[in-house]
Amino acid sequence: MKQRQKRWTILIIVTLCFIWGNSLMPPAVSNAISDKITQLLSGGVLPAEMEANSWLPSFLIRKTAHFTEFALLGISLAGACRARNMSKREAVLLTALCGVLAALVDETIQLFNGRTSSVKDVWLDSFGLAAGCCLTYFLFRHIVKKQEHKAG
């Protein structure tokens, strides 16, 4: 396996461990982490109207975390597909399949440790994955165009 492929594969594994590790946390631990992040952001980052609704900041932080985790997974999967020189069609199919399976596993883990599992979160995870893939695609495309411009 080439060095680039190894790096992307390691990033995929680390990202999945992070995602699923968060899902393995008991509800009390997960809530404490969300509350701590909410407190950190309450120091002028969040609008006053949002701070007045105690459930809203925590809800937004949790949903942003879902989206961001899976955006990182999308970046990792897209990078791995590119490192393996897959066709666009193969890359899209593989990334979508792996991403949705990861999201389903994530929500299934939560069923077994007393946390809430949600189909909405699978959709949110999928949108995060797609955003990460698109970002990676455009970055790689920009890099290639820049290299072609320098060479030309």
Side-chain angles (χ1 to χ4, degrees):
M1 188 182 286
K2 294 178 184 176
Q3 193 65 22
R4 274 188 329 154
Q5 292 174 349
K6 282 183 185 178
R7 279 189 239 135
W8 285 112
T9 301
I10 290 169
L11 186 56
I12 291 167
I13 292 167
V14 168
T15 303
L16 287 171
C17 287
F18 180 76
I19 290 169
W20 294 337
N22 284 331
S23 291
L24 285 167
M25 289 182 196
V29 174
S30 178
N31 289 336
I33 291 170
S34 294
D35 290 346
K36 185 67 175 172
I37 293 170
T38 301
Q39 287 174 347
L40 290 171
L41 293 175
S42 292
V45 176
L46 295 173
E49 305 85 36
M50 195 177 291
E51 289 182 31
N53 296 317
S54 61
W55 63 271
L56 186 59
S58 183
F59 173 81
L60 290 175
I61 286 166
R62 287 177 173 281
K63 298 311 171 188
T64 301
H66 267 276
F67 186 88
T68 305
E69 290 173 334
F70 277 84
L72 181 57
L73 183 60
I75 290 167
S76 305
L77 288 167
C81 290
R82 179 157 173 92
R84 286 173 176 75
N85 294 319
M86 290 184 172
S87 71
K88 285 181 187 174
R89 182 173 187 237
E90 288 174 323
V92 168
L93 290 173
L94 181 67
T95 301
L97 178 64
C98 289
V100 170
L101 285 174
L104 290 171
V105 169
D106 183 42
E107 293 304 310
T108 302
I109 289 169
Q110 292 180 31
L111 284 174
F112 293 104
N113 69 357
R115 291 179 54 189
T116 304
S117 179
S118 169
V119 173
K120 291 176 190 174
D121 284 344
V122 174
W123 280 104
L124 184 61
D125 297 343
S126 298
F127 287 127
L129 183 91
C133 288
C134 289
L135 176 66
T136 304
Y137 172 76
F138 288 118
L139 281 174
F140 280 138
R141 195 167 125 201
H142 177 73
I143 291 167
V144 167
K145 282 185 178 182
K146 203 171 191 178
Q147 288 172 345
E148 288 173 352
H149 181 67
K150 281 184 180 180

